[in-house]
Amino acid sequence: RTTCLGQVPVSPPTTLVVAIDPGKVSGISQLVVSTDAFATPLSDELTVPQLFPHMGRVFDMCDREELNLVIVVEKFTISERTIKTALSLDALDINGWLKGEQLYIRSLPFYEITPAQSKRFATDDKLKALGWYERTKDGHANDANRLMLSWIMTTDWPIRDNVTAHLAQELLK
């Protein structure tokens, strides 16, 4: 289940959507949505010391350029398993900072998607069909692209229809 905290945006003229798979090394996927046209997000992997200043620049750019901003993160849940296996709580710190900045300071939407939801729907085959699959050291960029694709499919924005059509066309080849 995708959880949106804050006001659900209507598809505006220009919006930057940033999807983040948080952690010691975070995947980040960024997509500018200005029409219903199919587009490919820019994705990468960033360490914690790289992610925080990068997102600070993203916030500044959106303020300066008057872009709407949507943030989508992989939800981090503390469980018995994470207590035993998590060597770092970086994901919790990142999500907390982004949620505070986006939701409480800027009053803009902040989406949380569970890892199971994004991995179940946004498979490697679908990412490859869209041209969104990135070969990276740890695969976190793909996890961020999975979040982006999962989020797009939960919206009623026109881009969803184009992504769906492109995906269907590529998978039927």
Side-chain angles (χ1 to χ4, degrees), residues 30-100:
Q30 300 169 109
L31 180 66
V32 175
V33 179
S34 57
T35 65
D36 60 352
F38 176 78
T40 300
L42 297 174
S43 57
D44 202 354
E45 293 181 340
L46 301 175
T47 63
V48 172
Q50 294 169 320
L51 180 67
F52 281 92
H54 174 80
M55 287 306 298
R57 289 187 297 274
V58 166
F59 288 128
D60 290 345
M61 179 192 70
C62 288
D63 289 345
R64 188 177 57 253
E65 303 295 327
E66 297 182 2
L67 295 174
N68 291 305
L69 177 63
V70 171
I71 292 183
V72 181
V73 298
E74 183 176 274
K75 185 173 184 166
F76 183 80
T77 304
I78 297 175
S79 65
E80 277 190 43
R81 187 174 79 84
T82 57
I83 289 171
K84 292 176 184 174
T85 61
L87 300 175
S88 165
L89 294 178
D90 289 330
L92 196 59
D93 293 340
I94 291 165
N95 283 357
W97 176 69
L98 290 171
K99 182 178 181 180

